[in-house]
Each structure stands twice: as structure tokens, then as C-alpha cells.
Amino acid sequence: MSRRTSRNSLAGVLLAALLAVAGAGCSGSDKSAQPACPDSALTCPAGASPASSGAAPSTASPGATTAAPATSAAPSAKPSASGTSDAPAARSTCSSPGACGFPDARTTGPRIPLTPHKTGYLAVRTNGLVIRGWDITGSLDIYADDVTVIDTRITSDSWWGINLRPGFKGLRVLHSTITAVPGKGPDNGGVDYAVSNMATSSVEVGWCDVSVFGDALSMGQGNIHDNYVHDIVPFVNQGGEWQHTNTVISGGGNTGQLTIRHNTLLNPTGLKQGASGSIGLFADTGVVRNVTVDRNWIAGGAYALYGGDTGATGIKVTDNIFSTQYHPASGGYGVVAHWNAGGAGNVWSGNRMSDGRPITPEPAS
């Protein structure tokens, strides 16, 4: 099956000043039923990911933004390094993601009340900035190092929810909801990227609830863990074609490691409406290398996983569950395409269907 991916040319963006923080009037949190979360916690005491927590970046009170670099100790590297290293192994058969320990709406998104901020397009230029407790109508364009977006909701009206520009590093997006209004995006009514990494550095996205965007998590290198990506909304783009949709997409040419671990990745897009993959590893801009896909719940797409094609190396696909909730073969045409079985360092192990059947990939054509 042929596939074409192109990053749409960005529309002209308006510069916006950073808005003053509204100290009163918080909206209700989607996680009100969960235990209270200390301001310093990256994970809730219970009801969230089993990954170990560390000290969070210094933040102001809920609903505020730290306008200067964080001064506290950097967060523990343990969650970032492994995502869910201590997560229990999935059962041999699974009826649903949440029932089998995978992320869903209960374990992702903000853990605290939020304060509304109609930012529109917002360029972030302060190194070390922490945005916490905001309910944003707009998008964030990051021209700074070590920015953290945590316990925040973004409803995008731009090409992306959050975008890291070339030459910058250290972006972390944690415990947040990133969505958009179908039909209101700039790409002929569609929206393209929930989190976009234009840089050559790694981006961490963890414990986030992501929906609507055509290519939800777009990056060549990063640490994507414990997220719930769902309800992708198909659209006809400005080129007059159905936008190809993927919950995670990498265009190849990556300079670092891409880790996709312990996520629920659902692409319900129909085959005649642009479905591509749940995970799309494509050699569009260069060779695909150094990608780990481990312990995810994966469903939907034309193929559930595109494996990088004939030149791909260092691709490790281990212990994933490919669900039949949209198609009998997980993807409309099958589980995996373009898998390079003979590539150096490529590993396919422990992957199975949601009914427990083991999966053996076909070789790349």
C-alpha cells in the first residue's frame, strides 16, 4: 500500500504576549475522583501509572506559570528513562486497555483544577519555564530549552498543540490533555499534530490524554510513555486529499532514540478516510533507526505498525498487544508492514493479538 506524508506548510502565525495569570476561578478537574496530588508530584499517589515519581520542576501555585527557570532539583530521570519499567506484564488475553493495565482516561490528563487561558498562538521563549494548571485555548510554540508543560489542558486552534522548534531541547509534556475542535483547525478544518518535535533533541510525553489530531505524536526522537491516544478525527487536507492519520509518526532520519512504551494507541480512522498506522515508522526523510516499541496496546490504521522499511536498523518491537477492536487483524490490512527482519539490531519478540495469538511479521517487500 502506498503512503505519502508531508508536513503542511505552516500558516502565518500571530505573535502573542504571555498572558497574566488569572488567580481565581478554576475549572473542574477531570481527575476529581483520584487522590490529591502534591504540587511536587509527577505521578499521583494511586490510580495513575506505576512508574516511579521524582521531584517535579519548581512551579507556582496551580493555575500559574513560572516565568523564570526552575530552581529546584531536576526531576528524577527514572520515569523518563524507562517510562513504565516496573509496569506489570500484560495478561495473555485482554478485553480492553484499561482492564489489562494500559493507560486510559482514568490514568492520564491533568490531576488538579485548571484555570482558563485563551492564549491563542503563544510563542514560549523563556528557558526553564513551567506551565502548570492552565486550561489553554490555543497552542504553544516552544523557542526555549527545558520547558515543562504539566497538569494542563490544551484545546488547539493551530497546526499543533505543542511544537518544539529546531535548535531547542528538553521539552517535557506530562499529565496533560491535548485536543482540538474537529472542523475548526487551520488545515481545511483539520488539525495536524498534538506534540510536534522539529528539533534533533528528545521530547518526553508522558501520562497524556491525546485526541482529534491527524498525526498525534510526531517526532524522530523522544520518550513517549503511558499515554492514551484515541479518537483520531479524519479530514480532507488543504491538498484535497484525506490526511494520513497515525497516533505516533516518525519520518526517519532520526539522530537519537525514539522510545514508545506502555501507551494505548488507537486509530479508528476508516480505510477510505486516510488511515495509515497506529505507529508509523516511515523512511520519508531518512533511514529509520533506534526505535523501541515496547508493551503498548495498539489498534487500528491500515496496518497497525509500519516497521521502518528495508534500511531500518535497531528497531525493537517487544511484548505489544495488537487489538482486534477495529479490525480482525488489528489494522485493516494487517498487523505490520515494511518490517526489516534482517536489519542489524532489529528484534521482534513477544508480540501477540488481544486474544493471545502470537504474531510473526511478514518481511518487508
Side-chain angles (χ1 to χ4, degrees):
M1 176 182 173
S2 63
R3 183 197 169 279
R4 180 186 62 83
T5 299
S6 62
R7 182 180 293 270
N8 293 289
S9 59
L10 299 180
V13 289
L14 300 176
L15 296 178
L18 186 62
L19 299 182
V21 173
C26 292
S27 64
S29 170
D30 292 337
K31 302 295 176 290
S32 58
Q34 292 189 4
C37 297
D39 286 353
S40 62
L42 284 182
T43 60
C44 283
S49 165
S52 301
S53 63
S58 174
T59 66
S61 60
T65 299
T66 304
T71 57
S72 65
S76 167
K78 187 173 181 180
S80 302
S82 61
T84 56
S85 59
D86 52 357
R91 304 169 192 169
S92 59
T93 61
C94 282
S95 59
S96 69
C100 294
F102 290 92
D104 60 14
R106 300 169 301 170
T107 61
T108 56
R111 306 159 297 171
I112 61 174
L114 307 179
T115 302
H117 289 269
K118 294 184 178 180
T119 65
Y121 166 83
L122 182 61
V124 175
R125 302 182 185 274
T126 302
N127 290 340
L129 187 72
V130 176
I131 296 176
R132 186 171 189 265
W134 283 32
D135 188 349
I136 293 172
T137 301
S139 61
L140 302 177
D141 202 3
I142 312 299
Y143 293 84
D145 293 339
D146 303 319
V147 171
T148 298
V149 180
I150 185 170
D151 288 316
T152 288
R153 177 183 175 91
I154 295 176
T155 304
S156 176
D157 56 2
S158 185
W159 297 93
W160 54 72
I162 304 173
N163 180 50
L164 180 66
R165 289 286 178 169
F168 298 96
K169 60 182 176 61
L171 174 63
R172 307 177 75 202
V173 184
L174 309 172
H175 294 291
S176 294
T177 293
I178 310 169
T179 189
V181 179
K184 300 296 184 181
D187 193 358
N188 198 31
V191 287
D192 291 82
Y193 311 105
V195 180
S196 169
N197 183 5
M198 292 183 175
T200 57
S201 63
S202 180
V203 167
E204 181 180 4
V205 183
W207 306 285
C208 290
D209 184 323
V210 179
S211 61
V212 179
F213 296 88
D215 283 325
L217 302 178
S218 175
M219 60 192 70
Q221 43 275 324
N223 182 14
I224 299 171
H225 64 87
D226 301 284
N227 302 288
Y228 175 45
V229 186
H230 60 102
D231 292 310
I232 300 298
V233 175
F235 62 93
V236 177
N237 60 30
Q238 290 183 346
E241 301 175 335
W242 284 104
Q243 175 72 16
H244 292 284
T245 62
N246 302 270
T247 61
V248 178
I249 184 171
S250 174
N254 49 309
T255 59
Q257 175 76 32
L258 176 60
T259 299
I260 307 166
R261 176 171 285 128
H262 197 247
N263 304 277
T264 297
L265 304 173
L266 309 179
N267 185 355
T269 307
L271 294 175
K272 295 182 179 180
Q273 294 178 303
S276 184
S278 280
I279 298 177
L281 307 179
F282 301 111
D284 292 333
T285 59
V287 174
V288 179
R289 59 174 68 89
N290 301 330
V291 180
T292 296
V293 181
D294 178 56
R295 284 178 288 150
N296 301 279
W297 176 283
I298 304 169
Y303 287 91
L305 170 68
Y306 285 81
D309 219 333
T310 53
T313 59
I315 315 301
K316 299 177 176 62
V317 183
T318 55
D319 298 324
N320 298 281
I321 293 178
F322 290 85
S323 170
T324 60
Q325 64 193 89
Y326 301 126
H327 306 285
S330 191
Y333 299 125
V335 172
V336 57
H338 301 168
W339 173 251
N340 182 19
N346 291 350
V347 175
W348 181 281
S349 175
N351 302 295
R352 56 197 180 276
M353 303 296 290
S354 52
D355 60 8
R357 288 175 293 146
I359 300 166
T360 301
E362 297 180 0
S365 58

